Amino acid sequence: MMLSMMISGLGQLGNDIDVYLNPLIEDLTKLWDKAVVVFDGYRNETFKLHGMLICTINDFLAYGNLSG
């Protein structure tokens, strides 16, 4: 599980939030399209892991920034 969190304040990115989110979007695209081979220590084997973004939790100000 990956948790991405932003704490707003005086240095909030505002509408330039894409600079922060770009690496996260690249990672999620890689996890969805290509998958990543990971090791399962319990079963002692590797498998392909796919990932996706399920939801976001934010206030209305952050929602406005996320939606552009």
Side-chain angles (χ1 to χ4, degrees):
M1 175 183 286
M2 180 185 339
L3 176 63
S4 175
M5 181 173 72
M6 295 183 301
I7 300 173
S8 62
L10 297 175
Q12 182 180 358
L13 294 173
N15 289 333
D16 294 330
I17 196 168
D18 56 333
V19 173
Y20 173 80
L21 291 178
N22 193 37
L24 176 63
I25 292 170
E26 288 175 1
D27 288 345
L28 288 171
T29 301
K30 180 179 178 183
L31 282 172
W32 181 256
D33 291 340
K34 300 176 184 176
V36 176
V37 177
V38 294
F39 180 75
D40 183 352
Y42 182 75
R43 293 187 177 166
N44 201 27
E45 63 186 17
T46 59
F47 66 95
K48 285 187 173 183
L49 175 71
H50 291 272
M52 67 180 182
L53 179 65
I54 296 174
C55 67
T56 63
I57 300 172
N58 45 272
D59 60 11
F60 285 112
L61 294 174
Y63 177 71
N65 285 338
L66 285 173
S67 64

